[in-house]
């Protein structure tokens, strides 16, 4: 039901906390060989948020994500919400100039990219972007392990605070970044059991 949390608490932070408290060790998700309980989801997200903070990401900063359906992508997206940063998913079909546009337009400070797509950065002029750090996800990647990180405290975010920028397909011109607040993602927490 959509009325599980009061309107003022319809944020990703409150959703993760509620799910951990209510469902604890029940399975929350499985992606490949990775299985998270609801309690593990909250803990893993808080540790990933700590890793983002170590990389210099602060509240309101943009973090671009160009990955397939991988746990690292979901973990980083949720960690952005946990710490008050903004996730910027990039379509995995995007090529160098498009990636450059998304990074420059969003002002992304950190990029998480799957190793299968990393070569596409060679045709992007990253000097035109605010990008400071790139984490490559994959066997030879640089995506930092967060297992031993102390969990970051949750940010005091509200339902109207920005959680993500989603880019349109750009069929009538350049893609436009659609800003999405925490409350727009409320369905995830309210209807996951």
């Amino acid at each position: 039901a959509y009325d599980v949390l009061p309107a003022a608490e319809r944020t990703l932070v409150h959703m993760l906390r509620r799910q951990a408290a209510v469902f604890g060790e029940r399975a929350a998700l499985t992606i490949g060989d990775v299985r998270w309980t609801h309690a593990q989801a909250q803990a893993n997200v808080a540790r990933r948020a700590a890793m983002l903070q170590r990389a210099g990401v602060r509240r309101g900063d943009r973090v671009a994500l160009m990955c397939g359906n991988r746990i690292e992508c979901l973990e980083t997206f949720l960690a952005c919400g946990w710490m008050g940063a903004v996730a910027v998913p990039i379509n995995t079909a995007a090529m160098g100039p498009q990636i450059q546009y998304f990074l420059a337009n969003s002002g992304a400070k950190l990029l998480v990219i799957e190793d299968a797509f990393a070569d596409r950065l060679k045709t992007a002029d990253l000097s035109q972007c605010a990008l400071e750090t790139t984490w490559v996800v994959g066997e030879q990647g640089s995506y930092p392990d967060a297992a031993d990180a102390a969990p970051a405290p949750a940010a005091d975010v509200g339902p109207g605070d920005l959680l993500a920028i989603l880019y349109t397909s750009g069929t009538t011109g350049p893609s436009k970044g659609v800003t999405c607040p925490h409350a727009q993602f409320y369905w995830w927490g309210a209807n996951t059991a």
Side-chain angles (χ1 to χ4, degrees):
Y2 284 102
D3 60 352
V4 171
L5 290 173
E9 295 179 5
R10 292 182 181 174
T11 68
L12 193 136
V13 169
H14 284 97
M15 287 184 273
L16 285 168
R17 284 180 173 160
R18 178 196 177 275
Q19 297 305 87
V22 172
F23 300 110
E25 296 307 311
R26 285 179 52 186
L29 64 91
T30 302
I31 299 177
D33 294 335
V34 178
R35 180 184 173 274
W36 281 0
T37 65
H38 290 274
Q40 288 171 325
Q42 179 185 330
N44 292 343
V45 166
R47 283 193 293 272
R48 178 57 50 194
M51 299 306 290
L52 289 171
Q53 290 173 343
R54 283 187 199 173
V57 176
R58 300 292 175 252
R59 184 183 180 125
D61 286 345
R62 275 65 168 157
V63 176
L65 303 158
M66 188 171 175
C67 298
N69 293 330
R70 300 181 64 113
I71 195 69
E72 298 90 347
C73 186
L74 178 62
E75 179 181 65
T76 305
F77 184 97
L78 296 175
C80 286
W82 184 262
M83 63 174 289
V86 180
V88 182
I90 296 176
N91 189 314
T92 57
M95 301 308 273
Q98 292 171 304
I99 298 167
Q100 174 187 325
Y101 169 76
F102 296 139
L103 293 173
N105 185 264
S106 69
K109 187 172 188 173
L110 185 142
L111 169 65
V112 177
I113 188 167
E114 191 170 344
D115 54 4
F117 311 119
D119 279 350
R120 297 184 195 174
L121 295 177
K122 292 177 182 174
T123 57
D125 182 0
L126 299 181
S127 69
Q128 303 300 309
C129 306
L131 194 63
E132 296 176 6
T133 306
T134 300
W135 290 347
V136 179
V137 175
E139 290 184 25
Q140 302 300 317
S142 58
Y143 188 79
D145 185 0
D148 295 328
D156 183 19
V157 294
D161 288 337
L162 188 59
L163 174 59
I165 299 173
L166 306 178
Y167 280 88
T168 64
S169 61
T171 54
T172 59
S175 297
K176 291 149 189 79
V178 178
T179 57
C180 303
H182 278 253
Q184 190 167 350
F185 289 87
Y186 180 61
W187 62 268
W188 181 83
N191 292 300
T192 305

